[in-house]
Amino acid sequence: MIRKSINLATAFIAACTMVSVVKAGVSGNIAIQSDYVWRGYSQNLEDPSVQGGFDYEDASGFYAGVWGASVDFGGDESTEGDIYIGFANETEGGFSYDVGIIEYTYHGGSSASDSNFTEYYLGGGFAGFSLTYSIGDEFGDNIEVGYGFDIEGVSIGAAYGDYDDAWTYWTIGVSGEIEGIGWDFSYWDTDLDDDPMGDGRLVFTISKSL
């Protein structure tokens, strides 16, 4: 599912896994990442980021939530706050789908809100493969393909994306859980060879569902 819930560990697992909602409920999540990377690009000047959010999921497939993270783009932005709403489910044949809207908002100094934007997204998945298309109202569209699978309690996944023909990115990683604490190691890279924020990097995440 494209939403940024950390109960899916990190973004690559969210890209590779479509979630079938099985019961109604509210859940929360907190996490610390060694670097908050979004579509291959550092959102925190390569420094650690504290993150967390809350989700509501209904048995029908409807969901809504909020998610926040510490960010640093070198300007006024110090906090990202996302609000999203959507519908996700899985057919009897094993095809999963997810459609929704997410509003990215930024807070800090007086000009932080200038970075706000909205995306509409549509995703589908089958047999571990996934495809997600996001339509942006400000910074362009994104298309991402992924594949993920589980083996002996460990999730392994990879994804490749193209963000508005401005850059491409890819990631591969592993994640799991030990005594209720989620962990994730992911490698990210882009074709932005002249921008250090898009250089290849290994990201470590620890998380906890509430």
Side-chain angles (χ1 to χ4, degrees), residues 76-158:
D76 283 345
E77 303 90 349
S78 61
T79 305
E80 174 184 338
D82 301 341
I83 304 171
Y84 46 85
I85 186 172
F87 188 87
N89 224 316
E90 183 175 320
T91 68
E92 291 183 0
F95 175 78
S96 58
Y97 57 90
D98 183 13
V99 58
I101 179 174
I102 180 169
E103 177 74 16
Y104 299 86
T105 68
Y106 297 91
H107 311 272
S110 58
S111 66
S113 62
D114 293 343
S115 298
N116 294 357
F117 67 102
T118 305
E119 282 191 339
Y120 306 86
Y121 55 87
L122 173 65
F126 182 76
F129 292 93
S130 66
L131 174 65
T132 303
Y133 184 65
S134 303
I135 302 171
D137 70 340
E138 184 72 24
F139 300 110
D141 301 346
N142 187 76
I143 187 167
E144 184 172 290
V145 295
Y147 178 71
F149 63 94
D150 295 335
I151 181 170
E152 296 184 356
V154 175
S155 297
I156 302 172

Side-chain angles (χ1 to χ4, degrees), residues 1-206:
M1 192 174 289
I2 196 167
R3 57 207 172 95
K4 291 187 174 180
S5 302
I6 300 303
N7 60 357
L8 295 181
T10 58
F12 93 87
I13 291 296
C16 297
T17 306
M18 297 292 163
V19 177
S20 176
V21 179
V22 295
K23 62 180 180 179
V26 177
S27 61
N29 56 82
I30 56 174
I32 299 176
Q33 284 192 307
S34 60
D35 185 8
Y36 171 20
V37 177
W38 185 74
R39 294 176 182 168
Y41 199 86
S42 176
Q43 306 293 287
N44 205 42
L45 293 181
E46 302 180 290
D47 288 330
S49 173
V50 178
Q51 307 166 354
F54 292 94
D55 297 292
Y56 171 78
E57 298 176 340
D58 186 81
S60 67
F62 170 83
Y63 65 84
V66 295
W67 185 87
S70 55
V71 299
D72 188 351
F73 304 138
D76 283 345
E77 303 90 349
S78 61
T79 305
E80 174 184 338
D82 301 341
I83 304 171
Y84 46 85
I85 186 172
F87 188 87
N89 224 316
E90 183 175 320
T91 68
E92 291 183 0
F95 175 78
S96 58
Y97 57 90
D98 183 13
V99 58
I101 179 174
I102 180 169
E103 177 74 16
Y104 299 86
T105 68
Y106 297 91
H107 311 272
S110 58
S111 66
S113 62
D114 293 343
S115 298
N116 294 357
F117 67 102
T118 305
E119 282 191 339
Y120 306 86
Y121 55 87
L122 173 65
F126 182 76
F129 292 93
S130 66
L131 174 65
T132 303
Y133 184 65
S134 303
I135 302 171
D137 70 340
E138 184 72 24
F139 300 110
D141 301 346
N142 187 76
I143 187 167
E144 184 172 290
V145 295
Y147 178 71
F149 63 94
D150 295 335
I151 181 170
E152 296 184 356
V154 175
S155 297
I156 302 172
Y160 176 86
D162 187 325
Y163 190 29
D164 195 37
D165 294 326
W167 73 80
T168 60
Y169 61 91
W170 62 273
T171 181
I172 185 169
V174 296
S175 65
E177 185 175 295
I178 299 175
E179 299 295 332
I181 302 297
W183 58 269
D184 179 282
F185 284 98
S186 299
Y187 180 81
W188 290 85
D189 205 353
T190 74
D191 62 354
L192 295 170
D193 296 331
D194 58 347
D195 192 331
M197 295 300 102
D199 284 348
R201 71 198 66 229
L202 181 65
V203 177
F204 175 60
T205 305
I206 56 173

